[in-house]
Amino acid sequence: MRKLFLFFFLLIFLPVEAEIVKPIYKQFKGTNLDGATEVPSPTGISISADGKKMFVVSHFDNKVYIYDLATAFDISTMDVANRTVVETNSLGDNLNTNNSNNKIKLNNDGTKVFFFSGSGQAQFHNLSTPYDVASISDSTIIDDDSIDYRTEYSSTIGNMKGFAFNNDGSKMYLSDGNSNTGNIVQVNLSTPYDPSSGTFEYNLDTKSIVGNVFTGDLAFDDDGTRLYLTKIHNNSTAIPAFIYVWKLSNPFELSSATYVDKYQIDANGNNVSPYGWTFGKDGMKLYVSTEDAITGVGDDIIFEYDLICPYGVVICELNETNASIETDTASQIEFAKDVIKYNTSTIFRRFDWLRRNENSLRSYSNNINLNLSQIFSHLPDEIEKPLTNAIYSKVNALIQKNKKESKKWSFWSHGDLTIGNRDSNSLKPREIQTKGLTLGADRKFNNDKFFGLALRYGNEDTDVLRSANKFETEALSLNLYSSIKLNEKLDLNSLIGASILEIDKRESGSNTGVRNGKQIFSALSLQTNKGFTNFNIMPTAKIDFGISELAEYNQLHTSQKLLASHDLTTFETGNLTAGLKFDNLKNISNGKRSINGSFEYVNDFSSDVDYEFRNAGDSVYQSKFYNSNSIHNLKSNIGFEGILDNGYTFGFNYENFSSFEKNTFNQDSLYLKLSHVRDKHTQVALDYDPLQDKNLKFSYEYEINGIDVSINSNYDFSRKDSFNTVLNFTNKF
């Protein structure tokens, strides 16, 4: 297991030089074999959202050069020798080979690709597979009636050097590269991403800012509140080049633009001619291509830069790019909710087993010791004290009494694997994989009560698609549960549990934040123990509720520079579930078999989560809230279980949990089960005494034909890195 709860890491404050934020130069890569001066001479570049493909268009031909990157967003791994070259000639409009200054852009999901030339020609394609630019052909063309985009919407464009779209494709922007103009024309598109459906809206005159120089390509940040425009120079003239930055008070509206400042492009101390450039990796990378440059490394180069904040050129304002922070916070909150969900789901499946096997448990002694006096001592006093007082006397008395008596105990284990997705319709959907292992023991009191306890370890990996961000999380949970027969037809099942959490955020292999947490949760259900029809259909109702606390933490850049500080966040979650279960239990030659399942409506009544963060260098926290629940959900499952006369149970369940609301949430889970009624050759021990040594110890011993097999685990709560498991085999002669 990875180290749980890392509390200390380096804090390095956001560097600001000359009052502007500067990209960090990393490396360069030639687009041609052995640095030869040949095509492509890049005037336009783009990169896929996953960072695995780089697209280059050239100054001197009408071809697209496609490079695979072995490591996402790392141009040093760009495969130049095996690049794919795609011809655009004879596919709709010719892009004008002579001095074309070609540009390439893709829409947000990579299903459309656009080519423009400096002489006003364009070519557009639909892509059936996102970012599969190699598949363009006559059949993928989007017809634009051979429009000359220099004159179609404005008379202010003489040499078109750049273009862009807003996020939904309803607006297009064309920049004029002539040294005596420097205009950017905003065009409204009545049909999204159809440049032929446009009407002129506004012209931004940049000449007063950039002067009588040639300008190049343009781009926006992710929410359209910042505009970037490059200044270029011709041929080998050693003139510094810049990126100019404007802020837009009204997103993507050039009429609201206010100039901020400029950044001189520094390619490892040399000047460049930035004909083509693009952002990547959710705005955390900048790539600049040169057609002619005084660089000391030759022409036809792509330079790579790290940015210390999203779109961090000249200014860093994370409040303008809160999508990243919101995605991070959402992932952390949903993980905490998932921990509760998987614990309650596993334990309530155990209740079903107990109901099916209540008359077949055999009597043998146990060796379980549990001191509950401070088991929840890590929780706030207002939660810990009433909780301890409520359960200490009864639970501890039952366990101590059981030391002297022969009781009915069974030992069980449960594994689960879940694959799912969230926010599938957003720009930053997430894929989630969860794995868990639960070890538990329970016993029957009298004829109508069960009591048990279970320890679950789980980890959840969340990949934020179209980015290089992921979360690696761990949770250790202790569950105490009981079932009481209220009458001949109705059972009351209850659960109380607590978890400790660790959430690691990673970007491109670097750890950029560690957040710890803790939670307490409870659940109650009413369920009939006898159903209707041959399938034993039974109505069921359940409610669960939890309180989670996520600690303060610092969000870092991959260079370990501080980006933002997050305050402690406490929130409540809960679900109300109602539905039907079925259980077709049949006798077989050596036991019983059960085909079981359920259909349940889940109403998530979790409250909105208020959270606060502070950007690096700020003294005031910003407040945001996250609506953490998809209110209406459906949970369904189907499973098989074999219950053998020798005391073993094995089985599996498939479960689907999905949202009714715009397909925002879907999870598929597979649960694997192994259970065993204890016999005289088995010893189970679980010891926890926080007053003495704060150690949680678990052991399981079994004798097989004279060989003693033992599993011993130990976790020291006073040392977060102290966890071990030992497997021993001993033969007595």
Side-chain angles (χ1 to χ4, degrees):
M1 190 198 309
R2 301 189 311 273
K3 293 181 180 179
L4 284 171
F5 287 87
L6 301 175
F7 288 110
F8 304 101
F9 45 87
L10 184 63
L11 304 180
I12 304 175
F13 287 95
L14 186 70
V16 178
E17 298 179 32
E19 299 184 352
I20 69 167
V21 175
K22 295 184 178 182
I24 302 170
Y25 171 77
K26 184 174 184 180
Q27 59 192 349
F28 71 87
K29 180 75 172 182
T31 58
N32 301 316
L33 295 173
D34 301 321
T37 303
E38 57 186 33
V39 291
S41 187
T43 56
I45 60 173
S46 186
I47 192 167
S48 61
D50 65 1
K52 289 299 189 75
K53 287 187 180 294
M54 179 75 78
F55 308 97
V56 175
V57 290
S58 180
H59 188 84
F60 297 114
D61 64 17
N62 288 346
K63 297 176 182 178
V64 187
Y65 296 79
I66 305 171
Y67 303 83
D68 292 324
L69 279 68
T71 301
F73 300 105
D74 182 354
I75 63 170
S76 70
T77 66
M78 197 165 72
D79 189 353
V80 177
N82 297 300
R83 66 193 182 191
T84 299
V85 182
V86 179
E87 179 65 70
T88 65
N89 281 336
S90 303
L91 301 179
D93 292 339
N94 191 301
L95 295 179
N96 189 353
T97 301
N98 296 323
N99 204 26
S100 58
N101 290 310
N102 290 332
K103 295 292 185 292
I104 179 173
K105 295 287 175 66
L106 293 107
N107 64 340
N108 282 332
D109 61 8
T111 58
K112 295 181 185 294
V113 62
F114 307 88
F115 305 103
F116 279 88
S117 73
S119 55
Q121 281 73 46
Q123 192 177 113
F124 318 127
H125 295 267
N126 287 315
L127 304 178
S128 57
T129 301
Y131 299 100
D132 185 14
V133 177
S135 68
I136 63 173
S137 66
D138 285 326
S139 63
T140 63
I141 283 282
I142 303 172
D143 186 24
D144 72 340
D145 298 324
S146 300
I147 292 174
D148 184 341
Y149 289 91
R150 294 174 300 177
T151 58
E152 180 70 14
Y153 302 120
S154 173
S155 60
T156 60
I157 298 177
N159 187 1
M160 198 165 66
K161 290 289 182 64
F163 76 101
F165 295 96
N166 65 347
N167 285 339
D168 62 7
S170 63
K171 295 183 186 298
M172 178 175 67
Y173 309 85
L174 307 172
S175 66
D176 181 16
N178 276 343
S179 60
N180 59 348
T181 52
N183 297 300
I184 303 177
V185 176
Q186 177 176 312
V187 179
N188 180 67
L189 303 180
S190 59
T191 301
Y193 293 111
D194 180 2
S196 66
S197 69
T199 54
F200 172 82
E201 277 195 331
Y202 185 80
N203 177 66
L204 177 65
D205 186 354
T206 67
K207 185 177 179 180
S208 61
I209 303 297
V210 302
N212 292 324
V213 297
F214 293 96
T215 58
D217 210 351
L218 72 151
F220 294 89
D221 67 344
D222 59 348
D223 62 3
T225 58
R226 273 175 275 177
L227 167 68
Y228 305 84
L229 177 69
T230 54
K231 167 190 171 181
I232 61 179
H233 56 77
N234 278 344
N235 301 322
S236 300
T237 308
I239 300 175
F242 296 90
I243 297 179
Y244 297 84
V245 181
W246 286 260
K247 290 182 64 173
L248 282 68
S249 58
N250 191 359
F252 294 106
E253 291 293 341
L254 297 186
S255 60
S256 68
T258 302
Y259 177 67
V260 179
D261 212 327
K262 63 185 178 183
Y263 155 69
Q264 182 177 341
I265 301 173
D266 179 3
N268 199 24
N270 297 288
N271 293 323
V272 301
S273 183
Y275 273 79
W277 64 279
T278 188
F279 289 110
K281 196 181 177 183
D282 278 349
M284 297 301 293
K285 287 282 189 180
L286 173 68
Y287 304 93
V288 178
S289 69
T290 69
E291 192 273 319
D292 287 304
I294 304 299
T295 64
V297 294
D299 295 336
D300 306 338
I301 303 295
I302 297 177
F303 295 92
E304 177 185 332
Y305 302 80
D306 287 324
L307 303 182
I308 63 174
C309 65
Y311 304 93
V313 180
V314 175
I315 53 176
C316 268
E317 293 184 340
L318 288 181
N319 59 320
E320 293 188 350
T321 53
N322 280 339
S324 175
I325 288 180
E326 290 171 359
T327 300
D328 291 0
T329 304
S331 298
Q332 295 164 359
I333 292 170
E334 294 297 345
F335 164 64
K337 293 181 64 176
D338 284 347
V339 171
I340 297 175
K341 180 171 70 176
Y342 293 126
N343 275 278
T344 58
S345 180
T346 299
I347 300 302
F348 276 80
R349 290 177 192 281
R350 183 61 180 175
F351 288 135
D352 290 336
W353 185 93
L354 291 171
R355 174 180 50 79
R356 287 192 288 267
N357 293 272
E358 61 180 342
N359 296 321
S360 61
L361 299 180
R362 296 176 291 173
S363 299
Y364 295 103
S365 64
N366 74 91
N367 182 30
I368 294 182
N369 303 281
L370 185 64
N371 187 332
L372 294 173
S373 60
Q374 290 190 11
I375 196 169
F376 300 121
S377 60
H378 62 286
L379 296 171
D381 288 345
E382 60 269 23
I383 299 176
E384 180 268 323
K385 290 181 179 179
L387 174 64
T388 302
N389 293 336
I391 68 175
Y392 174 77
S393 298
K394 184 174 180 179
V395 173
N396 207 45
L398 287 172
I399 293 177
Q400 297 302 322
K401 179 182 177 182
N402 187 61
K403 284 181 168 183
K404 303 175 182 179
E405 300 179 1
S406 177
K407 298 296 178 182
K408 300 183 176 82
W409 279 89
S410 60
F411 172 78
W412 58 277
S413 61
H414 209 227
D416 56 84
L417 172 65
T418 300
I419 298 174
N421 60 73
R422 295 186 191 274
D423 304 320
S424 57
N425 293 329
S426 74
L427 292 178
K428 295 184 180 180
R430 288 167 281 160
E431 285 186 350
I432 302 167
Q433 184 180 92
T434 306
K435 300 178 289 293
L437 176 64
T438 306
L439 301 177
D442 45 46
R443 64 157 216 178
K444 187 176 183 180
F445 291 90
N446 302 322
N447 292 318
D448 58 359
K449 297 178 182 178
F450 286 95
F451 168 77
L453 63 164
L455 192 67
R456 181 183 188 272
Y457 167 75
N459 66 68
E460 184 170 287
D461 293 335
T462 300
D463 287 324
V464 182
L465 303 183
R466 304 170 191 166
S467 77
N469 295 337
K470 69 180 302 183
F471 294 88
E472 297 176 352
T473 59
E474 294 180 293
L476 186 65
S477 306
L478 178 64
N479 299 272
L480 306 176
Y481 59 93
S482 66
S483 180
I484 301 174
K485 189 182 295 293
L486 298 179
N487 54 48
E488 290 300 319
K489 294 184 177 181
L490 195 62
D491 293 341
L492 174 64
N493 302 321
S494 61
L495 159 70
I496 188 167
S499 305
I500 51 178
L501 315 172
E502 182 189 275
I503 305 170
D504 292 348
K505 183 184 178 184
R506 303 187 69 82
E507 289 187 49
S508 301
S510 298
N511 195 315
T512 57
V514 178
R515 191 169 203 178
N516 303 305
K518 53 192 176 183
Q519 62 184 191
I520 181 173
F521 52 91
S522 182
L524 290 171
S525 78
L526 285 174
Q527 181 177 304
T528 58
N529 50 51
K530 295 181 180 179
F532 310 96
T533 77
N534 292 334
F535 285 93
N536 199 31
I537 299 174
M538 298 165 286
T540 182
K542 183 180 78 171
I543 186 171
D544 62 76
F545 180 77
I547 301 175
S548 301
E549 181 182 275
L550 300 180
E552 300 175 349
Y553 91 108
N554 292 312
Q555 182 178 339
L556 307 177
H557 179 251
T558 53
S559 65
Q560 301 303 295
K561 299 183 186 299
L562 180 66
L563 292 179
S565 299
H566 295 251
D567 201 3
L568 180 145
T569 302
T570 302
F571 55 94
E572 301 172 352
T573 59
N575 293 282
L576 182 62
T577 304
L580 295 173
K581 292 186 176 182
F582 64 88
D583 182 358
N584 185 242
L585 189 65
K586 296 290 185 180
N587 291 321
I588 55 177
S589 59
N590 59 345
K592 298 179 180 180
R593 70 105 176 100
S594 168
I595 298 176
N596 52 79
S598 66
F599 296 93
E600 295 174 303
Y601 166 76
V602 181
N603 182 275
D604 188 341
F605 59 84
S606 303
S607 59
D608 291 342
V609 180
D610 296 316
Y611 64 95
E612 295 184 335
F613 64 93
R614 182 179 62 194
N615 296 328
D618 288 351
S619 59
V620 179
Y621 278 92
Q622 300 182 46
S623 297
K624 301 281 288 184
F625 78 92
Y626 171 63
N627 187 334
S628 65
N629 58 321
S630 172
I631 298 175
H632 305 292
N633 308 276
L634 176 66
K635 182 171 75 171
S636 58
N637 80 83
I638 184 72
F640 170 84
E641 187 174 84
I643 308 164
L644 305 182
D645 291 336
N646 62 9
Y648 281 97
T649 297
F650 64 91
F652 64 87
N653 278 84
Y654 165 76
E655 179 179 285
N656 177 264
F657 192 103
S658 59
S659 168
F660 288 162
E661 301 169 15
K662 299 181 181 178
N663 194 32
T664 57
F665 176 51
N666 185 75
Q667 284 185 332
D668 294 295
S669 303
L670 180 64
Y671 292 86
L672 302 177
K673 180 186 307 181
L674 177 63
S675 177
H676 185 225
V677 179
R678 292 199 329 104
D679 60 31
K680 62 184 179 182
H681 301 292
T682 306
Q683 293 289 331
V684 179
L686 180 65
D687 294 277
Y688 179 60
D689 189 349
L691 292 176
Q692 298 298 319
D693 54 11
K694 293 187 180 295
N695 279 341
L696 177 66
K697 303 174 182 177
F698 175 81
S699 66
Y700 176 69
E701 299 180 359
Y702 188 75
E703 181 183 340
I704 306 175
N705 297 327
I707 299 177
D708 293 330
V709 181
S710 67
I711 301 174
N712 298 280
S713 295
N714 178 76
Y715 183 73
D716 186 344
F717 284 89
S718 65
R719 295 178 56 199
K720 304 307 177 183
D721 60 347
S722 179
F723 178 85
N724 62 74
T725 300
V726 180
L727 176 64
N728 291 317
F729 297 88
T730 305
N731 191 6
K732 298 178 181 179
F733 297 94

